[in-house]
Amino acid sequence: MSFLSETLSRVKPSPTIAVTQKAAELKRAGKDVIGLGAGEPDFDTPQNIKDAAVKAIAEGKTKYTGVDGIPELKQAICTKFKRDNGLDYTPAQVSVGTGGKQVLYNALMATLNEGDEVVIPAPYWVSYPDMVLLAGGTPVVAEASLQTGFKLTADQLEAAITDKTKWLIFNSPSNPTGAGYTWDELKELTDVLMRHPHVWVMTDDMYEHLAYDDFKFCTPAQVEPRLYDRTLTVNGVSKAYAMTGWRIGYAAGPEPLIGAMRKVQSQSTSNPCSISQWAAVEALNGTQDFLAPNNETFTRRRNLVVEMLNAAEGIACPMPEGAFYVYPSIAGCIGKTSAGGTKIENDETFATALLEEHGVAVVFGAAFGLSPNFRVSYATSDENLKEACTRIQTFCAGLS
């Protein structure tokens, strides 16, 4: 339709949201569907955080706030960065948005010109390339592989950078793979960035607190302090605090960049929900005691899913370091035909047949820039995971 903008024609709807909606529609139609597509914890928001929101409502904190956050939340964010990451920021260096997604979008809209390139390691979160395109930039995909644990190497990063590169978008632990970079692995990447002073780093740390076994989270400006003045460190309360629907994300970086992001936000959404902001103050300042038991639950679920998927014919599933996703390869399934008669030509036909024939909703790997794979979110009950993985095993056993 010519009435719509050319910009819109360059992007596609979010595949992860599409899968979740498709699963919900099938459930409403009476189908027995297990959804493994949603990227949100199944835990409830902790009670102290909910109580803080109720208190804010009772106290009438229901008016417009500053465009990019209340002072109390900005200070709580500064305290969090110092406590957890050893990074010093002032409230003037902090931006609060309606979810981490808006914060990333604001930064790209505020900085990209036509022809500017953004290096995005694949597999990537589905929205990164499309947000770059919406902002007028050019995504440059640098593919990591199963052999490197889905982590970008220094050589790959070096090869992806040109004189047009403006940003590297970095995400650890990763959505969709759960891969987490160690300090030494990240140092190799920051060493490359130090050789290219025109490249800035946009680091998406949303899964920071979802780290398992002996893996220790670290972030680029922490590993290489000389990158501090060209790093935007993005985080939020959605995942670790089970606050996806509250829609609060935040970032800290150089004041001129934060000011530019504020300008973008002032002409789009204006301030995030005032009640959600007060809830986020409590999330960051209040007890963190629930994080460890939640991670124990996620660790158990991760181990269950990895073991069961590796027992499925044609699937190879690595053990991730964090987040709540696994990203198994289906290279051994390509070219076969399902019991229902579907030729498995790629990961999208695999995911479609799995949903239609066995009622398991996953997201196909092409959506994340690396095939042939699919993403499973294990942020659901052990019972659901066991049943879903059993169905995946049955589906794979039926391929011929």
Side-chain angles (χ1 to χ4, degrees), residues 10-70:
R10 296 200 293 265
V11 304
K12 56 190 181 300
S14 167
T16 51
I17 293 174
V19 167
T20 304
Q21 289 176 337
K22 173 77 170 173
E25 287 168 10
L26 289 170
K27 281 183 180 178
R28 283 195 295 272
K31 304 286 187 184
D32 176 20
V33 173
I34 302 173
L36 301 180
E40 63 177 347
D42 57 326
F43 307 128
D44 193 15
T45 304
Q47 190 61 45
N48 64 306
I49 298 172
K50 293 194 286 186
D51 289 344
V54 172
K55 183 171 182 279
I57 294 170
E59 292 177 353
K61 293 174 177 172
T62 55
K63 308 297 184 186
Y64 292 134
T65 74
V67 166
D68 61 351
I70 57 176

Side-chain angles (χ1 to χ4, degrees), residues 144-220:
S145 68
L146 184 66
Q147 287 69 37
T148 63
F150 299 122
K151 300 177 198 179
L152 196 67
T153 66
D155 288 344
Q156 287 173 312
L157 176 58
E158 186 76 57
I161 292 174
T162 72
D163 58 0
K164 296 179 180 178
T165 306
K166 184 163 272 187
W167 287 103
L168 163 68
I169 297 182
F170 179 78
N171 176 218
S172 170
S174 156
N175 175 4
T177 67
Y181 289 73
T182 66
W183 186 284
D184 290 343
E185 288 167 340
L186 186 47
K187 183 67 168 67
E188 290 181 7
L189 298 185
T190 60
D191 284 349
V192 173
L193 293 167
M194 289 307 299
R195 294 196 291 272
H196 299 279
H198 66 291
V199 181
W200 284 49
V201 190
M202 187 179 301
T203 176
D204 181 351
D205 296 348
M206 194 61 71
Y207 298 92
E208 168 183 7
H209 292 299
L210 303 175
Y212 314 124
D213 302 329
D214 297 326
F215 176 71
K216 297 285 190 292
F217 171 83
C218 53
T219 194

Side-chain angles (χ1 to χ4, degrees), residues 50-336:
K50 293 194 286 186
D51 289 344
V54 172
K55 183 171 182 279
I57 294 170
E59 292 177 353
K61 293 174 177 172
T62 55
K63 308 297 184 186
Y64 292 134
T65 74
V67 166
D68 61 351
I70 57 176
E72 293 84 353
L73 180 51
K74 289 190 173 190
Q75 185 56 58
I77 291 164
C78 292
T79 301
K80 172 260 175 291
F81 277 126
K82 182 66 173 175
R83 176 186 70 221
D84 296 343
N85 313 113
L87 294 172
D88 288 301
Y89 291 107
T90 66
Q93 293 175 279
V94 172
S95 178
V96 182
T98 307
K101 197 173 205 173
Q102 184 184 27
V103 174
L104 295 163
Y105 181 78
N106 286 348
L108 294 168
M109 288 297 294
T111 58
L112 291 183
N113 298 306
E114 190 171 344
D116 286 343
E117 295 177 351
V118 178
V119 175
I120 304 172
Y124 48 67
W125 179 46
V126 294
S127 294
Y128 295 147
D130 289 287
M131 287 195 289
V132 170
L133 289 166
L134 276 172
T138 302
V140 174
V141 175
E143 280 193 10
S145 68
L146 184 66
Q147 287 69 37
T148 63
F150 299 122
K151 300 177 198 179
L152 196 67
T153 66
D155 288 344
Q156 287 173 312
L157 176 58
E158 186 76 57
I161 292 174
T162 72
D163 58 0
K164 296 179 180 178
T165 306
K166 184 163 272 187
W167 287 103
L168 163 68
I169 297 182
F170 179 78
N171 176 218
S172 170
S174 156
N175 175 4
T177 67
Y181 289 73
T182 66
W183 186 284
D184 290 343
E185 288 167 340
L186 186 47
K187 183 67 168 67
E188 290 181 7
L189 298 185
T190 60
D191 284 349
V192 173
L193 293 167
M194 289 307 299
R195 294 196 291 272
H196 299 279
H198 66 291
V199 181
W200 284 49
V201 190
M202 187 179 301
T203 176
D204 181 351
D205 296 348
M206 194 61 71
Y207 298 92
E208 168 183 7
H209 292 299
L210 303 175
Y212 314 124
D213 302 329
D214 297 326
F215 176 71
K216 297 285 190 292
F217 171 83
C218 53
T219 194
Q222 177 185 19
V223 171
E224 177 49 83
R226 290 177 295 173
L227 282 175
Y228 176 89
D229 289 329
R230 51 188 173 107
T231 298
L232 183 71
T233 303
V234 183
N235 212 315
V237 296
S238 294
K239 312 299 183 179
Y241 299 95
M243 294 176 67
T244 49
W246 298 77
R247 308 307 301 134
I248 295 291
Y250 57 83
E255 275 191 55
L257 173 59
I258 296 298
M261 291 165 60
R262 183 185 308 117
K263 184 185 292 187
V264 173
Q265 190 160 310
S266 74
Q267 297 296 1
S268 55
T269 61
S270 236
N271 67 273
C273 170
S274 63
I275 305 306
S276 295
Q277 290 190 65
W278 283 104
V281 171
E282 174 61 24
L284 295 177
N285 287 345
T287 178
Q288 311 291 301
D289 289 350
F290 56 87
L291 293 176
N294 284 3
N295 278 9
E296 287 177 15
T297 299
F298 278 139
T299 302
R300 185 184 69 247
R301 293 172 176 177
R302 177 202 61 173
N303 295 346
L304 165 73
V305 169
V306 169
E307 182 181 355
M308 291 190 72
L309 289 180
N310 277 323
E313 294 177 38
I315 289 182
C317 184
M319 181 72 78
E321 288 85 4
F324 38 67
Y325 309 106
V326 293
Y327 199 66
S329 165
I330 57 160
C333 302
I334 300 298
K336 296 182 178 180

